[in-house]
Amino acid sequence: MPDFFSTEAIMLRRTAYGDYDLILTFFSEERGKVAVMAKSARKHTRRFSPVLFEPLSVLHIVCHTGRGRLPVLQEATLTQPQSKTRTDIQKMAYAGYWSELLNGWLEENAPRERLYTLFREVLSATDRLPPGLLSLFFQMKLMALSGLVPDLSCCVQCRTAPDAISDALFFPDPARGGVRCARCAGPDQRPCLSRGTLRQLQWMTCQDLQRAGRIRLTPRSLEEGLAFAEAFVPYHLGKTPQSLRVLHQIRRRP
Ligand SMILES: [Zn+2]
């Protein structure tokens, strides 16, 4: 008996397969990460419009799960194009990083409803909120929703609270799941976080996007926060995404 499933889904990755087909990896609302075959999607007489399969498109998809290795895409309808984001190279670099993170982070066929909602909200907000702030929020929430929220309440080594330290600089320690004070971390550690940035990261992790989007971060706090998140999240992923290197190059441009 043929079997079908339908779901809303955000495209994370597309790979050419054979002469005419595409393998598309989606973060789907109903099934979590799912890879599907789009037959003849690259043929001159395409079954599907090419605009459907641009990165980060939010689609409604219908797939047939037959005897093949992958479900076969039957229908795809665009529900949220990312046309504004695609014209901004820095926003695309951030979004590419989030996609690569999720592609490595998610297990196939394991629904993650709250994470899906988070990603969809963050993508929707790229035309009104700064991408750096969104990236910080996304990464802190990604860790929180995965049970990996960093302990920012005290130094993970000597357990001293930030308020009890006079110079109050802290250093990420992803292996121990938190931060170390300057005395425990030793000299020449990078990157560092001020006490104020620590507090803002703690606050942000507990907020929804509507409230977190109103926070006013100084350029220094944003830089510290991003350096912190971009040390922690790749550590949990087990590798540094290629797209993070691209993002760093783009951010360094004047
Ligand atoms: Zn310490």
Side-chain angles (χ1 to χ4, degrees), residues 155-160 165 179-185:
C155 169
V156 290
Q157 193 162 323
C158 67
R159 312 307 297 176
T160 308
I165 297 173
V179 289
R180 284 192 291 170
C181 69
R183 199 178 51 191
C184 293

Side-chain angles (χ1 to χ4, degrees), residues 36-152:
V36 309
M37 180 74 76
K39 287 190 177 290
S40 304
R42 293 161 57 227
K43 222 171 184 173
H44 186 59
T45 52
R46 293 183 178 100
R47 286 183 62 195
F48 302 105
S49 163
V51 297
L52 289 172
F53 305 134
E54 296 289 338
L56 306 168
S57 289
V58 184
L59 304 171
H60 185 267
I61 59 172
V62 179
C63 298
H64 174 228
T65 53
R67 268 173 274 163
R69 191 172 65 87
L70 294 175
V72 177
L73 188 68
Q74 302 292 312
E75 293 172 29
T77 317
L78 196 60
T79 60
Q80 184 184 309
Q82 302 293 342
S83 44
K84 282 186 184 165
T85 302
R86 286 205 194 96
T87 57
D88 185 318
I89 189 167
Q90 192 173 79
K91 287 181 181 177
M92 278 309 288
Y94 274 106
Y97 171 54
W98 306 334
S99 294
E100 192 177 346
L101 275 185
L102 285 171
N103 190 41
W105 198 273
L106 297 168
E107 289 177 34
E108 289 206 27
N109 298 308
R112 296 289 304 270
E113 291 91 350
R114 291 178 70 194
L115 193 48
Y116 182 84
T117 303
L118 168 73
F119 190 43
R120 202 185 189 301
E121 282 179 354
V122 166
L123 282 182
S124 300
T126 49
D127 57 357
R128 60 187 168 85
L129 290 174
L133 174 63
L134 280 172
S135 194
L136 184 54
F137 175 76
F138 174 69
Q139 290 176 90
M140 295 307 291
K141 297 296 268 191
L142 173 65
M143 288 191 282
L145 291 174
S146 305
L148 296 168
V149 65
D151 179 5
L152 305 178

Side-chain angles (χ1 to χ4, degrees), residues 136-137 140-141 143-144 149-155 160-163 170 177-179 193-208 212 215 217 221 225 228:
L136 184 54
F137 175 76
M140 295 307 291
K141 297 296 268 191
M143 288 191 282
V149 65
D151 179 5
L152 305 178
S153 63
C154 62
C155 169
T160 308
D163 289 343
F170 291 84
V179 289
L193 297 115
S194 68
R195 182 161 47 201
T197 304
L198 270 193
R199 287 207 184 104
Q200 286 173 313
L201 291 181
Q202 281 179 298
W203 179 85
M204 184 180 266
T205 307
C206 305
Q207 305 304 315
D208 59 22
I215 194 172
L217 294 176
S221 276
F228 173 85

